[in-house]
Amino acid sequence: HPGEEVSSGSINVGSSQLVIRTSSTVGDSALSRLIELIEEAQANASETEKLVDAFAKKYTPFVLVIAFCLCTVPWFFGEEVGRYWSLNGLIFIIIACPCALTISTPVTYSAGLAATAKRGIIIKGGSRLECLGHVKTVVFDKTGTLTTGRFSLSHLEAVGGSKSRKEILRLLAIMEAPSSH
């Protein structure tokens, strides 16, 4: 109909041609807002990320100082001793480097956020993703709608005696008939 808004990405399922005037930029689109939400979610650091970063800030300089000492001081005791301890210093820095720890946490969160976003679920950051790991029970308000896509009544008990079970079922059918979900 003339004058109505059309969302970006809409598909013309009719047989006639559509003439559409662009009224907003790509930055105003729903996809653009979705991308902003995902980027914002990835920027929110969780408690685990903060802990790993705080640990790495103290641990890394300590490891570098020890490795530097292992690679330099022994040279004062001769070339053979210097070579031996330089090799051990390099081995030490590779083994003791916290890179795997500091890189793995944000990469894991980004992968989790991307996987849920791909399935249509936006989680606002690693901290909230981490909280989901502690969830023991999830309660949904619709019977069967999320699992089968169809509403089903599993049990009905008439309480109070003012209406019969048949009357309650009739009223429920009237309420449910115009529903699209």
Side-chain angles (χ1 to χ4, degrees):
H1 299 274
E4 286 189 28
E5 286 190 12
V6 178
S7 298
S8 64
S10 296
I11 298 172
N12 181 7
V13 293
S15 57
S16 61
Q17 184 180 33
L18 295 178
V19 177
I20 300 171
R21 183 177 56 88
T22 304
S23 60
S24 62
T25 64
V26 74
D28 296 331
S29 69
L31 180 61
S32 177
R33 279 177 274 161
L34 179 64
I35 290 169
E36 284 176 24
L37 281 173
I38 292 170
E39 287 173 348
E40 180 186 314
Q42 289 176 336
N44 292 335
S46 72
E47 288 302 313
T48 303
E49 286 177 292
K50 291 175 187 173
L51 177 71
V52 167
D53 287 344
F55 173 75
K57 281 181 184 174
K58 292 181 177 148
Y59 178 76
T60 304
F62 179 72
V63 167
L64 290 175
V65 166
I66 291 175
F68 179 76
C69 291
L70 288 173
C71 290
T72 57
V73 172
W75 285 94
F76 292 113
F77 301 102
E79 188 176 330
E80 188 176 322
V81 174
R83 285 177 193 241
Y84 175 80
W85 283 104
S86 288
L87 175 62
N88 285 325
L90 293 173
I91 292 170
F92 174 77
I93 200 165
I94 290 169
I95 292 171
C97 181
C99 293
L101 180 65
T102 57
I103 291 172
S104 66
T105 307
V107 167
T108 303
Y109 286 136
S110 293
L113 295 171
T116 57
K118 192 183 237 184
R119 290 168 178 81
I121 302 167
I122 303 298
I123 299 173
K124 288 187 149 196
S127 59
R128 289 172 180 91
L129 184 64
E130 192 173 302
C131 287
L132 284 173
H134 302 291
V135 171
K136 301 285 186 245
T137 306
V138 178
V139 179
F140 295 107
D141 63 345
K142 295 183 180 188
T143 308
T145 309
L146 295 172
T147 54
T148 62
R150 293 184 311 274
F151 178 79
S152 64
L153 181 63
S154 59
H155 178 75
L156 174 66
E157 186 175 330
V159 179
S162 65
K163 299 213 182 311
S164 69
R165 187 175 196 284
K166 189 174 183 179
E167 179 67 14
I168 291 171
L169 284 171
R170 187 183 71 77
L171 292 171
L172 285 173
I174 291 169
M175 289 189 301
E176 199 267 333
S179 176
S180 62
H181 58 283

